């Protein structure tokens, strides 16, 4: 007859618990689901954001809902969803005053996002926000 000590049983149970804990799938994004990253984007003429039919919904996992979704999501990921922190592009923009207002609201990795800024023209909008507000269908 085989005799198993209590210490051996405890060690075996502890090892089994460690293996089970390691095998459990981890959630990406620090506990937030991928669907926690979405933005409703609008661009309007002058100093007020457009309200035409609700704008464009950008979702980032997988990138969709936007003509340049993959680029926009990569730019947002690089700055943890803070649109104002997107590095300025090196563009030569005309000195034409045709103001546009960009607005984004939604969530980035579970954190609320509310961004509104007016730019002197669409070139400056692109230079400062990259692909995020590239909403036209041309």
């Amino acid at each position: 007859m085989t005799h198993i000590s209590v210490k051996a049983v405890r060690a075996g149970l502890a090892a089994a618990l460690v293996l089970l804990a390691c095998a459990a799938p981890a959630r990406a994004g620090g506990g937030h689901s991928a669907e926690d990253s979405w933005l409703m984007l609008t661009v309007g003429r002058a100093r007020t954001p457009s309200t035409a039919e609700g704008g464009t919904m950008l979702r980032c996992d997988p990138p969709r809902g936007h003509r340049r979704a993959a680029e926009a999501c990569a730019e947002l990921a690089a700055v943890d969803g803070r649109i104002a922190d997107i590095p300025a592009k090196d563009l030569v923009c005309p000195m034409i005053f045709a103001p546009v207002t960009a607005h984004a609201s939604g969530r980035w990795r579970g954190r609320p996002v509310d961004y509104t800024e007016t730019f002197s023209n669409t070139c400056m909008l692109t230079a400062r926000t990259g692909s995020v507000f590239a909403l036209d269908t041309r």
Side-chain angles (χ1 to χ4, degrees), residues 82-102:
R82 290 184 285 280
I83 298 169
D85 292 346
I86 293 174
K89 308 293 182 271
D90 190 18
L91 294 178
V92 177
C93 292
M95 293 181 66
I96 297 172
F97 187 69
V100 292
T101 298

Side-chain angles (χ1 to χ4, degrees), residues 13-107:
L13 287 174
L17 286 174
V18 168
L19 288 173
L20 283 173
C22 291
R27 290 186 64 175
H32 296 288
S33 72
E35 288 302 312
D36 283 348
S37 294
W38 60 271
L39 296 174
M40 179 59 72
L41 306 168
T42 60
V43 175
R45 296 283 170 211
R47 299 189 189 286
T48 56
S50 173
T51 57
E53 299 302 313
T56 298
M57 176 71 73
L58 170 65
R59 295 186 181 272
C60 285
D61 195 31
R64 63 192 186 280
H66 183 295
R67 74 185 189 104
R68 293 173 60 188
E71 286 177 69
C73 290
E75 290 169 349
L76 287 165
V79 295
D80 195 28
R82 290 184 285 280
I83 298 169
D85 292 346
I86 293 174
K89 308 293 182 271
D90 190 18
L91 294 178
V92 177
C93 292
M95 293 181 66
I96 297 172
F97 187 69
V100 292
T101 298
H103 179 73
S105 63
R107 300 189 74 70

Side-chain angles (χ1 to χ4, degrees), residues 66 68 71-72 75 89 126 129-135:
H66 183 295
R68 293 173 60 188
E71 286 177 69
E75 290 169 349
K89 308 293 182 271
T126 301
T129 63
S131 301
V132 175
F133 289 100
L135 305 180

